[in-house]
Amino acid sequence: MRSPVLPLTWHLARSSGRRGLQSQLLAAGAAAVGAFVMLVMVAAALGSGARADHTTWRTPAAVPAKEATAVQALATTYVRDEPVSVVSLAQLPGRGATDAPPGLSSFPKQGEMYVSPALAELMGKLPAGQLADRFPKVKSYGTIGAAGLASPDELVAVVGRAPTDPALSKAADGDGWYDAGQTERAMISDFSAAKPKASLFTGSDQGAALLGVVLLVMPVVVLASAAGRLGAARREQRLAALRLAGATPRQILAMTAVEAAGVGAAGALAGAVAYGALLPVLAEIPYGVGGWYTGQLWVGLPWLAAVVAAVTVLITVSAVSMLRQVATSPLGVAQESNPRRTRAIRLVLFVGALIYIYMSSGGGQLNPRQLITLLILFYAAFWLFGPWVVDRLGRIVARFARRPATLLAARRLSDDPRGAWRTVSGLVLAGFVAGFFSVSQLDIGFADTPGQVGVTTSDAAAARHTATEARTLLREAGIQAKVATPGDDNFDTVLRGYEGVIAHVTGGPEQIDAAVTALTPVAAGRLPLTQDYVNASDDTITDRVAAASTATLALSFLIATASAGLTAAANVLDRRRVYGLLRLSGTPLKTLDRARIRETVLPLVVLAGGTTGMGVYGAYQLNKLADSTINTSGAIQLTACVLLGALAMFMAISGSRPLLRRVTANPAQTAD
């Protein structure tokens, strides 16, 4: 016998009217937002890995000298505070030919230079004395293709040299702690490596993006859960009537699952289509070394299908989980006689989770995987604890309420704590992200060295000779600078403890760049140092965390606002009968609206403060792990995030005020 589930589900969906269609559209919209956000973050994580893979050829694995066919040296210079990677290559005489590096048409011969499109454009814009003169005069130029670049904005040059060129000598190999990833020399036979090492400027990108993905998973789950429960009260009443008419619990569950899965899949597919259509726009968003190649942000069909399926499953599970009461006590649901209380076991589990987190992080020796696990536990603990707090908060406020709107809000909190929690949970969990990222900016504490350009030397005698040459070159270039040899006590300079010469340049970035170009000939194979160079490893990590935090905060508040707005609109539709009865009893519309707002404000103030504090604690542990201090400017950012988030929340809730007015326009009909 044919199952009646699908025909009946379709019939009920079509006959649900305009309000039922509104709930379905809202749920589909929530699914679209959730799928789009997750696809963007997954794309950033996967794309960061792909970008890093495109830079491993610049630091290939060294081979024994007798097996080498070429010598390679990586150097890094800076222009306008942006890194320029300079790869010098030379074919060794009497050895076999070396394959071309990725992105190059052939192995560069002496007198040939390949540059990235962005570097070629910049060399054309800036005066030669600020950039182009740092490179040798060559016979021919080529262009580095996308296969050898992490980003279309990356600045890279590959120079063909003689094996005896100073830029390829052993003296060109950096031995300073700040040289790691910026200055390296190796004997090579090809550009592959068993253990590839990404560039300093791309190696940390994926880790920061993955952290953002982890922190965004729970807000997306919240949004999907809210989407699955849109129109829950109306659905429960309808299914309870069917249950009383003889429908089995299995049929009730199947009908709900089919309806929710259809709406969720449609919304998630719409989000996936929006992600695919906006790929060229997303590729223009800078991260790390610059924008993206569009292909780097394409996650592929397996990931696309996985995200769509995950969002659909979340919405379906959320909708089905609401039906336990319908299946066991349909008469109670039909009469709306069973308030949804919460149990004290939630408090016990929450306290247990906090104790475990405190004991696990007390020593401060946490690896990144353990830290991410604790962050997830933070989310889960508060997600479990939130409805219990809302329930108790409603009871306490009801006992001391002095105004009708406050009393109505308190009764709603205690009658449906899970529903009230869903309205505010997005912003409450976004408060955790804000608290975490606002104070997790690392402050290593190295001294600033503005205006300094340094040249390292082998000893003090060489430093004095280099200083004389430096004064001449700077004077000929028309650059005002004071040249000194600070000796051993120079840790607070760009030399960071190494012997050499320092030029204190007067002027802005243009003069700094011109000084670097002028001093390149006396650097003996090395490139002159600036503050950007010596602080690169620390600044790179800080910049990536800051970029990930900005993106995560923006997306978290986007999700929270969408979740709050959708839930508030759905609550108006679900409670239209209650609102109609209250209007018939003489309750002003203004009082009903104030009750809705207070129903959000009360748990938001209590719970958002708690999760924000937990986020600050998580950031403290991260900074402790990195042996750094908290950036005090984060407090201002945190305050701004909380205020903007609260404002966005109230705007989203206020957006359903016209819907409340329409629903209660004819209270007698609504009450029926």
Side-chain angles (χ1 to χ4, degrees):
M1 181 177 176
R2 183 182 177 185
S3 172
V5 170
L6 290 178
L8 187 55
T9 302
W10 175 244
H11 171 73
L12 292 176
R14 286 192 307 166
S15 61
S16 60
R18 185 178 61 182
R19 290 168 182 166
L21 179 61
Q22 288 173 336
S23 295
Q24 292 170 352
L25 290 177
L26 289 173
V33 172
F36 177 79
V37 169
M38 284 310 301
L39 284 171
V40 169
M41 292 306 296
V42 170
L46 296 178
S48 297
R51 297 209 305 183
D53 292 341
H54 280 204
T55 63
T56 57
W57 65 272
R58 302 169 200 170
T59 53
V63 299
K66 61 181 181 180
E67 301 177 10
T69 60
V71 59
Q72 172 175 340
L74 169 67
T76 305
T77 186
Y78 288 79
V79 58
R80 297 299 192 272
D81 299 323
E82 295 295 327
V84 181
S85 298
V86 182
V87 180
S88 297
L89 289 169
Q91 179 71 39
L92 294 175
R95 306 291 177 91
T98 308
D99 293 336
L104 274 66
S105 58
S106 62
F107 189 91
K109 300 178 182 178
Q110 182 179 355
E112 294 180 344
M113 185 168 75
Y114 291 79
V115 295
S116 64
L119 180 58
E121 182 181 357
L122 189 61
M123 290 171 65
K125 287 182 178 180
L126 297 180
Q130 295 183 19
L131 178 59
D133 288 347
R134 301 182 196 183
F135 305 106
K137 303 298 181 182
V138 296
K139 302 175 184 177
S140 64
Y141 287 90
T143 301
I144 303 175
L149 299 173
S151 163
D153 300 324
E154 196 176 18
L155 306 178
V156 183
V158 180
V159 183
R161 300 180 186 267
T164 56
D165 193 289
L168 292 167
S169 66
K170 292 184 178 180
D173 193 5
D175 57 356
W177 54 266
Y178 47 73
D179 290 315
Q182 299 192 89
T183 301
E184 296 186 25
R185 176 185 179 275
M187 307 293 289
I188 64 171
S189 58
D190 56 38
F191 294 93
S192 62
K195 295 182 179 180
K197 183 173 65 173
S199 165
L200 168 68
F201 306 105
T202 60
S204 60
D205 291 2
Q206 191 171 43
L210 284 173
L211 183 59
V213 171
V214 170
L215 291 173
L216 278 173
V217 165
M218 188 57 71
V220 170
V221 171
V222 170
L223 182 60
S225 175
R229 296 167 190 259
L230 286 172
R234 181 181 179 86
R235 186 190 301 131
E236 284 183 343
Q237 291 292 319
R238 183 180 62 193
L239 296 178
L242 289 174
R243 183 79 175 89
L244 290 171
T248 65
R250 179 176 297 180
Q251 289 173 331
I252 294 297
L253 292 175
M255 291 173 60
T256 302
V258 169
E259 180 183 353
V263 173
L269 285 173
V273 170
Y275 153 76
L278 292 175
L279 274 178
V281 178
L282 295 173
E284 297 297 324
I285 300 176
Y287 176 57
V289 292
W292 308 74
Y293 291 107
T294 304
Q296 294 172 338
L297 291 179
W298 172 244
V299 298
L301 290 179
W303 271 105
L304 197 73
V307 171
V308 170
V311 172
T312 302
V313 169
L314 284 172
I315 291 177
T316 304
V317 170
S318 174
V320 170
S321 66
M322 294 288 294
L323 299 182
R324 182 180 61 180
Q325 193 71 17
V326 175
T328 59
S329 180
L331 185 60
V333 172
Q335 296 178 344
E336 300 182 0
S337 60
N338 294 319
R340 295 164 180 168
R341 300 297 186 190
T342 56
R343 299 180 180 179
I345 187 63
R346 293 173 178 265
L347 174 62
V348 175
L349 294 176
F350 178 72
V351 173
L354 288 186
I355 293 174
Y356 174 78
I357 292 169
Y358 176 77
M359 294 179 64
S360 300
S361 60
Q365 301 299 321
L366 299 176
N367 59 44
R369 181 174 299 178
Q370 292 172 326
L371 185 62
I372 290 176
T373 301
L374 291 183
L375 292 178
I376 296 174
L377 185 58
F378 271 136
Y379 269 140
F382 230 93
W383 178 253
L384 183 69
F385 185 53
W388 187 88
V389 176
V390 172
D391 191 357
R392 269 57 187 179
L393 180 64
R395 299 185 192 185
I396 294 172
V397 173
R399 183 177 301 175
F400 298 99
R402 294 293 181 268
R403 296 180 181 275
T406 305
L407 180 60
L408 285 173
R411 288 300 302 270
R412 289 304 310 169
L413 292 177
S414 58
D415 284 348
D416 188 12
R418 296 179 183 87
W421 161 249
R422 286 192 297 272
T423 304
V424 301
S425 57
L427 187 59
V428 169
L429 296 178
F432 173 80
V433 177
F436 178 82
F437 274 129
S438 295
V439 298
S440 63
Q441 301 177 24
L442 304 182
D443 186 4
I444 305 301
F446 290 131
D448 290 333
T449 55
Q452 294 186 13
V453 178
V455 176
T456 59
T457 59
S458 57
D459 51 39
R464 289 190 293 271
H465 176 72
T466 301
T468 302
E469 292 184 89
R471 293 186 182 96
T472 301
L473 291 173
L474 292 171
R475 184 172 58 254
E476 291 176 350
I479 301 170
Q480 296 183 356
K482 180 180 179 182
V483 179
T485 53
D488 296 334
D489 187 18
N490 61 10
F491 190 81
D492 290 337
T493 69
V494 292
L495 296 177
R496 293 292 192 260
Y498 291 91
E499 197 69 56
V501 175
I502 297 176
H504 298 268
V505 181
T506 302
E510 297 83 359
Q511 292 298 306
I512 296 292
D513 292 337
V516 171
T517 304
L519 295 178
T520 297
V522 299
R526 296 286 303 278
L527 292 173
L529 309 177
T530 60
Q531 177 174 299
D532 292 321
Y533 183 92
V534 296
N535 289 348
S537 59
D538 303 319
D539 289 345
T540 298
I541 296 175
T542 302
D543 290 344
R544 299 307 179 269
V545 171
S549 68
T550 301
T552 305
L553 283 173
L555 291 176
S556 294
F557 284 119
L558 171 65
I559 296 172
T561 302
S563 178
L566 291 171
T567 306
N571 286 341
V572 171
L573 296 175
D574 288 344
R575 300 173 187 172
R576 63 187 182 278
R577 182 172 182 273
V578 175
Y579 287 139
L581 292 172
L582 288 171
R583 287 299 306 277
L584 285 174
S585 67
T587 306
L589 180 62
K590 184 180 295 185
T591 300
L592 296 180
D593 193 47
R594 287 176 179 173
R596 287 195 323 124
I597 300 297
R598 293 177 189 182
E599 184 182 337
T600 301
V601 171
L602 291 173
L604 187 62
V605 171
V606 174
L607 292 169
T611 51
T612 302
M614 296 175 94
V616 171
Y617 178 76
Y620 169 76
Q621 292 299 326
L622 175 64
N623 287 354
K624 193 174 181 180
L625 178 65
D627 194 25
S628 66
T629 59
I630 291 178
N631 192 332
T632 54
S633 64
I636 299 176
Q637 181 181 350
L638 178 59
T639 302
C641 288
V642 172
L643 292 177
L644 289 175
L647 179 61
M649 171 74 75
F650 293 136
M651 290 178 63
I653 295 173
S654 299
S656 59
R657 185 176 298 160
L659 182 61
L660 175 64
R661 187 179 297 109
R662 287 199 301 270
V663 164
T664 58
N666 190 345
Q669 182 178 357
T670 302
D672 288 338

